Structures are given as C-alpha cells and as structure tokens.
C-alpha cells in the first residue's frame, strides 16, 4: 500500500506543519482526495476529501468542494479509496517505555504469545550472571495464562535463577509478583506470616509459600535488597529514551493521543522539544505533582494540545481483573476459604481524596474493577460533588469492569466517564472462566454503557493489556478471543460505536472534544490511514488491518 501512495506525496515534508505566513484558508497545505473517510462526526459521518492548514482540518466533505482549498503550493494526495479514521485515543496507559528498553522482558508486550517457564529462567539467569550478588533481578510482562507449561510460576522456578540474588517476576497486570526464596527471606516472610490488609502471601497445598504475593502485601519488598542506582542525568536520559521509544510504538498502532499514568514530566517536555514526541499526551498524575497542582492552582486542562494536565492518575481502590484480585460482591468460584478480592483503600480515605481533588478543579480518576469498588468510588464522587459542586467534572472511572443496573444509573446521573479494558476481550479470554459467563455479561460492558447514554472511552491499561486499538475494536465488536471463546456476547457493539469509543469519546474523557476525536473543520489534523475498512473486512481480522500511515497535526509520524 505504501508503495502505491508514494513517499513524496504523503511523506514527512508534505504533511509537516508549515509556518507559512499565508493564513488564507483557501491555500491549504494539503488536500486529501478520493478517500473513504469515516469522520466520527455525526453531522457528516462520511466524506471523500479534506483539506489541512497549520496542522488542522480546514475543510471536510466532497472532492469537488475540496478543490476550492487547493492553490499553488498545496500538496494534493489521492488516497485511492483507502479508509481514513480519526487518530485513536487511549485513555489509560502506563507508557513504561524505559522498562521496554532497559529491563528483562519475559512475555510479549504487544501480542498473544506463549512462552516457557524455562525461557523465563534463562533470561533472568543471564541477567543474574552479570549482576553482583544481593542485587534484585527483575522480569517484566509475565502473563500467567500465556505459559506453555500450563502451570503457575513458583518459588522453586525462581530459585533456579539464583539463590544469591533476590529475584522477582512482575505479572504484566501490575498487581501480583512472584519471588524467589532469597527475596522472601530478605523481607522476613515465612509460611507463618499472616496476610495483610489489601494483599496476600500465597501458599501451596501444604501451606508452604509458593512465591506469589498479591497487591499491597508486596510493599515489604520495597526496602530490602540492593538496586542499581543511577545519577539524575542517567535517570533523565533513560526516561527520555523510554518515552521517545514508546511514542514510536504508539503511532505504529495508530494512536495519536494517549493518557499517561504519571511518568517524568520533565523528560516528556525534553522529548517534545527534540521533536520526538509523535503523539499527544494527557498527563495524569499523583503524589508530589498532584499535591503541587492542588497547592498552586493548576487544574485539569492546563497545558497545550501536545502535553496537558488531564485527570489525576488512577487512585487505586481494588485489585486486578487479569490477576483475579478485584473486589467482588460474591466470592471467586471454587475459593476456600471464600475469597472476594482485595479492597486497597478505605471509604474514608477515598472520600477525603476525592473531595480535595474536586475542590482544586482537578478531574478525579479512580481505578475500580469490581462492583464493590465501583460502588465505593461512586459514593466518594457523589459526596465530593455535593460538598464542592462543579459543572461538567466528568469524574473518571478507570476500568469500571463489573457493573450492574444500579451502578449504571449512578454513573449516568453523575456524568462519570468509564474507561474499560479494550484488548482484553481478545487477549484475555483465557482468564474469563475465573469469573464465569454471568459476570462476563456485565464486564467491559460497552453495550450497556452505550444503551445508558454513558460516554465510554478506551483504556488499554498497557502494560496489563496490549494497547493496539484495532485489537481492542475487534474484541468490542466480536467479544471473541484469540482462543476462539466468546464471552458476554450481549456486550457487543458495532464497528461505528467502537470507533467512537476509540476516538471522540476519548477526547471527551479529557474535556478535549472541541479540538480532537473526529475529522471536522477546525480540529487537529490527527488521523490514520488503514489498508482495509473495518466495516467490511471479516470481523475476526480487524486486528490485522495494516496501519498504512499515522498522521499527527498534519505530519506523518509513522508510515508502513
Ligand atoms: Zn492502570
């Protein structure tokens, strides 16, 4: 496809933001004609041409009218009936670029791929052999249901890596980790150590520690063992390189806007200054930066169209869907003693946090997976809105996985904006049996949100889930996974609805729907050229549609 188009027509120079003094809208920088444009703009859902000037769309409509925007100096691009959609928006992403670049990766971050426990041991052992005793050996992107051995990773496996180093393998879901004996010993954990609030030290049938530790029980490992230290300059360089690296990965999959869960704001600005930031960032933060925002009157929306303060980062209220620690009203099937997941925050603390954020004019954002946790979050948001009423807060619920009719009603009444998992319906069907069909009918409930008139957005939660928007769209449309299993088919949505979720609803999620999320005059010229039309291709192949080009602000930031 790329050869058909020709680099000179749609290459970096053609789509580069021009600083021309000519502001006459009839003199477009670029006109795209003969395209199949799905605008995601209800006033004109389909178009065949558009014009761009200064990084924004100036005209969208027919090829005949687009001609009025073409003058000498306008680059004209014949799309040869390719499909064009607005740039995709991911509203929940941990954007851990430096982990991808610098750490030991034991699973596939982007696709479904099965690995062996032996391969994990080998990779970590190679690292241990180059690392002084006593220092941590970390593995990332482990997925416990993508293991060829068809069993759980355990302490004995990790003892084969080393007995002199503390060793940990982090589940990609981010809520559970697997430790070797040295790590458990350094942390003073033995088989008689009781579980603690918000976490567990898991045991095998004989009551011995099996190495798996969940949620907040992992905090005891924070201050034991030695870790490689870096100078401030080294840390800055790693963060910068990591962000530049992940920005390239995002645009490769068609993402032009991503909500970042924290990260290094300084590095982000450095990457932008170097021209290496290829996507737009809604910066979601917590801790020191959030405190500073509250103290100094920086509210959500501060920044510009490249880097802007969005909601807070996810304030975590319960455990994980993929690692089966989310807080359920009914216990997990087959657990004895009955296990209902982890609540990681008290209602009282949650209320106080939500109110302080709301008072500061900052969009609150909580991580809530289970119905119990979503109920707690809504209680805190409702309370905050009463204590400090503000218009159009759009309190955000990250994941918002397991809902019921009462929760739906409260979400709608509050104008809350959920960002459920996107790729899970394809990537994680191997975990759905832990919840069962009854619960899956109410999980990642895109259909229910649409029917209730709730503006539901996409939240890949990378690293827990792959971030590919087309994989997400396929899952939303089919509810069928890589293994052929279909779960919660009642929650299917149409291709058009899935496009809305991944574009305009994402813009709404950060109060930016006036400037992006659809292809319309005046909006930022962010769009994706697809080799096939997701409306007509076999629905089981949507994820395989080739991203031909990704364009941000009228500049080609990726081309096949
Ligand atoms: Zn997250």
């Amino acid at each position: 496809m790329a050869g058909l188009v020709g680099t000179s027509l749609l290459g970096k120079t053609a789509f580069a933001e021009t600083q021309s003094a000519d502001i006459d809208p009839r003199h477009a920088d670029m006109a795209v004609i003969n395209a199949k444009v799905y605008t995601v703009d209800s006033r004109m859902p389909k178009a065949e041409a558009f014009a761009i000037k200064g990084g924004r769309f100036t005209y969208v409509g027919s090829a005949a009218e687009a001609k009025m925007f073409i003058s000498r100096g306008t680059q004209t691009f014949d799309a040869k009936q390719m499909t064009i959609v607005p740039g995709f928006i991911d509203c929940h992403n941990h954007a851990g670029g430096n982990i991808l670049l610098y750490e030991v990766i034991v699973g596939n971050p982007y696709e479904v791929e099965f690995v062996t426990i032996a391969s994990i041991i080998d990779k970590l052992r190679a690292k241990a052999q180059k690392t002084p005793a006593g220092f941590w050996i970390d593995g990332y992107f482990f997925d416990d249901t993508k293991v060829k051995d068809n069993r759980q990773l355990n302490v004995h496996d990790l003892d084969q890596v080393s007995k002199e180093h503390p060793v940990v393998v982090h589940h990609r879901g981010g809520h559970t980790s697997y430790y070797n004996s040295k790590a458990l010993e350094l942390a003073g954990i033995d088989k008689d150590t009781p579980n603690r609030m918000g976490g567990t030290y898991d045991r095998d049938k004989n009551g011995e520690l099996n190495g798996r530790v969940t949620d907040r029980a992992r905090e005891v490992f924070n201050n034991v063992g030695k870790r490689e230290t870096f100078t401030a300059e080294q840390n800055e360089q790693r963060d910068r390189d990591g962000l530049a690296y992940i920005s390239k990965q995002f645009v490769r999959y068609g993402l032009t806007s991503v909500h970042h869960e924290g990260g290094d704001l300084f590095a982000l600005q450095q990457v932008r200054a170097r021209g290496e930031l290829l996507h737009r960032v809604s910066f979601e933060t917590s801790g020191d930066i959030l405190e500073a925002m509250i103290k100094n009157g920086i509210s959500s929306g501060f920044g510009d169209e490249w880097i802007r303060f969005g909601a807070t980062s996810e304030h975590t209220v319960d455990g994980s869907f993929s690692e089966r620690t989310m807080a359920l009203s009914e216990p997990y099937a087959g657990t004895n003693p009955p296990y209902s997941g982890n609540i990681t925050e008290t209602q009282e603390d949650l209320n106080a946090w939500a109110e302080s954020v709301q008072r500061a004019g900052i969009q609150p954002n909580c991580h809530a997976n289970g119905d119990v946790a979503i109920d707690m979050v809504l209680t805190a948001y409702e309370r905050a809105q009463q204590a400090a009423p503000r218009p159009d807060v759009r309190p955000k619920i990250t994941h918002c996985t397991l809902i019921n009719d009462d929760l739906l009603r409260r979400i709608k009444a509050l104008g809350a904006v959920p960002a459920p998992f996107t790729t899970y319906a394809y990537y994680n069907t191997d975990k759905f049996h832990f919840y069962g069909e009854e619960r899956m009918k109410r999980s990642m409930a895109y259909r229910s949100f649409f029917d209730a008139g709730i503006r539901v957005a996409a939240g890949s939660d990378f690293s827990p889930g792959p971030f590919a928007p087309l994989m997400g769209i396929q899952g939303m449309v089919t509810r069928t996974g890589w293994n052929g299993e279909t779960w919660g088919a009642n929650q299917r949505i149409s291709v058009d609805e899935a496009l809305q979720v991944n574009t305009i609803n994402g813009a709404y999620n950060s109060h930016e729907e006036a400037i992006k999320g659809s292809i319309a005059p005046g909006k930022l010229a962010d769009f994706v050229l697809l080799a096939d039309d997701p409306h007509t291709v076999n629905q089981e192949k949507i994820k395989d549609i080739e991203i031909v080009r990704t364009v941000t602000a009228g500049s080609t930031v990726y081309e096949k």
Side-chain angles (χ1 to χ4, degrees):
M1 280 314 282
L4 245 174
V5 175
T7 312
S8 59
L9 262 185
L10 203 59
K12 197 111 187 147
T13 47
F15 265 139
E17 267 181 281
T18 54
Q19 298 298 318
S20 99
D22 175 4
I23 55 162
D24 188 333
R26 288 167 302 175
H27 304 168
D29 299 331
M30 159 69 52
V32 174
I33 56 164
N34 194 23
K36 221 164 126 186
V37 185
Y38 294 94
T39 63
V40 195
D41 177 356
S42 55
R43 291 163 302 181
M44 183 196 289
K46 284 194 78 177
E48 53 184 17
F50 53 77
I52 297 167
K53 191 175 182 69
R56 290 184 181 248
F57 298 112
T58 49
Y59 169 80
V60 181
S62 70
E65 274 191 59
K67 288 211 176 83
M68 301 199 309
F69 295 82
I70 298 174
S71 69
R72 223 163 24 106
T74 302
Q75 299 270 350
T76 304
F77 168 62
D78 182 347
K80 299 199 165 67
Q81 282 301 303
M82 261 195 298
T83 295
I84 296 183
V85 297
F88 297 123
I89 301 176
D90 184 351
C91 295
H92 186 69
N93 196 305
H94 292 270
N98 39 10
I99 286 178
L100 291 170
L101 261 190
Y102 296 113
E103 302 291 345
V104 178
I105 305 297
V106 302
N108 187 329
Y110 309 109
E111 311 283 345
V112 173
E113 183 186 334
F114 276 63
V115 302
T116 61
I117 288 175
S119 77
I120 296 171
I121 294 170
D122 283 351
K123 284 182 179 177
L124 293 171
R125 198 186 274 146
K127 169 91 179 189
Q129 279 162 359
K130 295 183 296 193
T131 306
F135 279 76
W136 279 94
I137 303 298
D138 292 76
Y140 290 88
F141 282 92
F142 174 68
D143 185 334
D144 71 307
T145 57
K146 306 288 186 300
V147 178
K148 283 183 185 163
D149 309 61
N150 201 20
R151 65 169 177 83
Q152 289 289 312
L153 184 69
N154 63 43
V155 63
H156 310 296
D157 299 321
L158 299 181
D159 283 345
Q160 291 181 51
V161 173
S162 172
K163 290 192 164 151
E164 273 77 57
H165 303 79
V167 177
V168 56
V169 169
H170 305 279
H171 197 291
R172 70 178 297 163
H175 290 250
T176 58
S177 302
Y178 302 73
Y179 297 89
N180 73 343
S181 296
K182 183 73 184 176
L184 292 163
E185 177 200 312
L186 287 173
I189 306 299
D190 62 34
K191 64 177 183 170
D192 300 319
T193 306
N195 291 335
R196 32 184 287 164
M197 188 253 175
T200 58
Y201 303 103
D202 290 2
R203 289 150 173 93
D204 64 19
K205 279 192 279 291
N206 307 319
E208 301 289 335
L209 293 170
N210 64 17
R212 182 177 186 259
V213 180
T214 68
D215 284 303
R216 295 190 62 177
R218 296 174 301 168
E219 287 167 8
V220 296
F221 297 93
N222 287 349
N223 298 315
V224 304
K226 292 182 210 152
R227 294 203 168 271
E228 203 179 346
T229 52
F230 301 102
T231 64
E233 288 77 39
Q234 283 171 324
N235 272 325
E236 198 185 305
Q237 175 251 318
R238 285 164 69 96
D239 285 347
R240 217 169 44 218
D241 291 355
L243 284 163
Y245 177 77
I246 200 142
S247 190
K248 279 190 195 147
Q249 308 308 313
F250 288 156
V251 297
R252 191 156 74 89
Y253 286 92
L255 287 167
T256 56
S257 289
V258 177
H259 296 199
H260 284 220
E261 290 305 292
D264 185 334
L265 189 54
F266 184 64
L268 198 54
Q269 293 171 89
Q270 301 278 300
V271 172
R272 178 190 182 177
R274 290 168 178 230
E276 293 173 342
L277 187 64
L278 308 177
H279 69 284
R280 305 179 193 279
V281 176
S282 181
F283 189 75
E284 301 189 334
T285 191
S286 59
D288 288 352
I289 302 182
L290 181 61
E291 287 305 315
M293 287 171 71
I294 294 172
K295 254 193 214 124
N296 297 291
I298 298 176
S299 55
S300 297
F302 189 81
D304 66 13
E305 56 211 29
W306 283 98
I307 304 174
R308 194 193 298 282
F309 284 104
T312 68
S313 61
E314 56 179 339
H315 187 87
T316 302
V317 176
D318 72 338
S320 142
F321 177 91
S322 64
E323 298 145 285
R324 291 87 70 190
T325 66
M326 73 189 215
L328 303 175
S329 51
E330 306 273 335
Y332 286 83
T335 54
N336 192 17
Y339 174 66
S340 301
N342 301 336
I343 285 288
T344 56
E345 174 71 304
T346 64
Q347 185 74 58
E348 201 185 3
D349 288 352
L350 179 59
N351 290 349
W353 178 85
E355 188 178 328
S356 76
V357 167
Q358 167 114 355
R359 281 193 188 281
I362 297 169
Q363 183 185 6
N365 175 17
C366 288
H367 157 124
N369 269 308
D371 49 357
V372 174
I374 298 168
D375 170 76
M376 287 175 68
V377 167
L378 287 168
T379 299
Y381 287 170
E382 287 157 354
R383 221 189 130 272
Q385 182 62 11
Q386 281 208 320
R390 281 186 188 279
D392 206 24
V393 176
R394 305 182 195 178
K396 179 166 174 174
I397 308 176
T398 290
H399 312 321
C400 202
T401 305
L402 178 65
I403 51 99
N404 57 44
D405 288 346
D406 182 54
L407 296 175
L408 270 180
R409 186 188 52 72
R410 291 166 68 194
I411 291 167
K412 172 68 181 166
L414 204 57
V417 286
F421 297 114
T422 53
T423 52
Y424 277 22
Y426 175 81
Y427 178 86
N428 262 338
T429 38
D430 44 37
K431 300 184 178 75
F432 292 178
H433 64 93
F434 292 110
Y435 295 96
E437 176 65 4
E438 279 315 303
R439 284 196 188 104
M440 290 316 299
K441 279 181 170 166
R442 298 187 283 121
S443 291
M444 295 149 221
Y446 282 100
R447 177 81 269 143
S448 300
F449 289 129
F450 264 92
D451 291 348
I454 292 162
R455 295 292 285 268
V456 57
S460 75
D461 200 26
F462 185 78
S463 61
F467 54 71
L470 289 174
M471 184 192 283
I473 289 171
Q474 178 169 321
M476 291 170 202
V477 170
T478 65
R479 295 286 288 204
T480 300
W482 65 268
N483 56 4
E485 291 178 12
T486 300
W487 293 85
N490 60 310
Q491 293 296 346
R492 283 177 182 145
I493 56 175
S494 70
V495 170
D496 276 329
E497 288 166 333
L499 281 176
Q500 285 174 42
V501 166
N502 284 275
T503 58
I504 191 69
N505 288 7
Y508 184 87
N509 194 280
S510 57
H511 294 83
E512 292 177 291
E513 72 276 15
I515 59 162
K516 64 186 182 190
S518 61
I519 296 176
K523 284 199 171 181
L524 299 167
D526 301 348
F527 60 94
V528 186
L529 281 80
L530 303 174
D532 264 307
D533 183 347
H535 296 81
T536 54
V537 81
N538 175 347
Q539 292 189 337
E540 304 293 336
K541 302 266 184 234
I542 292 175
K543 72 174 179 54
D544 303 321
I545 295 175
E546 191 175 281
I547 307 277
V548 180
R549 269 168 210 266
T550 303
V551 177
T552 312
S555 288
T556 296
V557 288
Y558 167 76
E559 66 178 296
K560 179 74 193 173

